[in-house]
């Protein structure tokens, strides 16, 4: 198996995970390498699709979307569900899973009432179970 990353690559990725807007100059200081070398490593990580994008993290509570709910859903209407979720503002993530249920939907709503309305719109797809998140312990953790 090809060795994809060394410790410097991992440190660069950890710095970018912490702050994707960190300058190459700052990264080069943190890893004790020249700016051109850091830039070249970042380009190689992008070309290998190890770094597939740079994201902004929003404070959903401040955007009035502070209620996080995970919904397990069993359906035979897979394509219709996918289209529905792509168009539903509440849906942030949709996963195809194995087991009794075949989809896991992550939704962000302003309130329990808004969540209830969303759940009502899922009834035609099949049975579901909802789990409201009480506290976020780990999210988007880098596994390096």
């Amino acid at each position: 198996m090809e060795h994809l990353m060394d410790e410097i690559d991992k440190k660069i990725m950890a710095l970018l995970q912490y702050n994707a807007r960190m300058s190459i100059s700052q990264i080069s200081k943190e890893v004790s390498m020249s700016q051109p070398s850091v830039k070249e490593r970042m380009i190689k990580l992008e070309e290998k699709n190890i770094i597939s994008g740079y994201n902004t993290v929003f404070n959903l509570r401040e955007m009035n979307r502070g209620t996080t709910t995970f919904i397990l859903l069993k359906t035979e209407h897979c394509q219709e569900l996918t289209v529905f979720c792509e168009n539903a503002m509440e849906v942030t993530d949709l996963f195809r899973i194995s087991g009794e249920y075949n989809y896991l939907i992550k939704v962000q709503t302003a309130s329990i009432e808004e969540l209830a309305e969303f759940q009502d719109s899922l009834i035609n797809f099949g049975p579901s179970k909802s789990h409201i998140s009480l506290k976020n312990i780990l999210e988007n953790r880098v596994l390096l």
Side-chain angles (χ1 to χ4, degrees):
M1 183 163 114
E2 179 185 351
H3 181 70
L4 298 175
M5 300 179 295
D6 63 13
E7 290 306 311
I8 293 172
D9 289 336
K10 290 177 182 178
K11 187 164 185 184
I12 290 169
M13 291 174 60
L15 290 166
L16 290 170
Q17 175 76 16
Y18 174 73
N19 179 4
R21 294 182 64 186
M22 184 177 279
S23 69
I24 290 175
S25 171
Q26 184 61 40
I27 294 169
S28 70
K29 290 176 188 171
E30 295 283 337
V31 297
S32 302
M33 291 183 72
S34 69
Q35 290 181 34
S37 295
V38 168
K39 177 125 176 107
E40 182 179 326
R41 281 177 175 266
M42 289 173 63
I43 290 169
K44 285 182 180 176
L45 290 167
E46 291 168 358
E47 288 172 348
K48 291 178 182 177
N49 207 30
I50 293 170
I51 295 177
S52 61
Y54 298 86
N55 297 311
T56 302
V57 178
F58 298 102
N59 183 336
L60 295 171
R61 187 165 312 285
E62 294 299 320
M63 297 173 63
N64 201 26
R65 293 271 175 212
T67 302
T68 303
T69 306
F70 298 92
I71 301 172
L72 292 166
L73 181 75
K74 182 190 285 188
T75 188
E76 294 179 4
H77 308 284
C78 299
Q79 185 59 38
E80 294 92 337
L81 177 67
T82 300
V83 170
F84 171 81
C85 288
E86 287 172 344
N87 293 306
M89 284 187 51
E90 301 87 352
V91 176
T92 61
D93 297 276
L94 174 64
F95 301 95
R96 182 77 158 94
I97 60 173
S98 64
E100 179 182 351
Y101 294 88
N102 53 349
Y103 285 92
L104 173 65
I105 307 168
K106 181 180 176 186
V107 299
Q108 296 290 150
T109 57
S111 65
I112 299 300
E113 293 78 20
E114 189 177 311
L115 172 62
E117 288 177 29
F118 179 78
Q119 288 173 310
D120 289 346
S121 65
L122 288 177
I123 289 173
N124 293 332
F125 290 105
S128 66
K129 284 186 181 179
S130 298
H131 303 275
I132 297 172
S133 173
L134 301 177
K135 183 178 179 182
N136 182 345
I137 307 297
L138 289 173
E139 187 173 49
N140 297 322
R141 186 172 149 204
V142 178
L143 302 175
L144 298 177

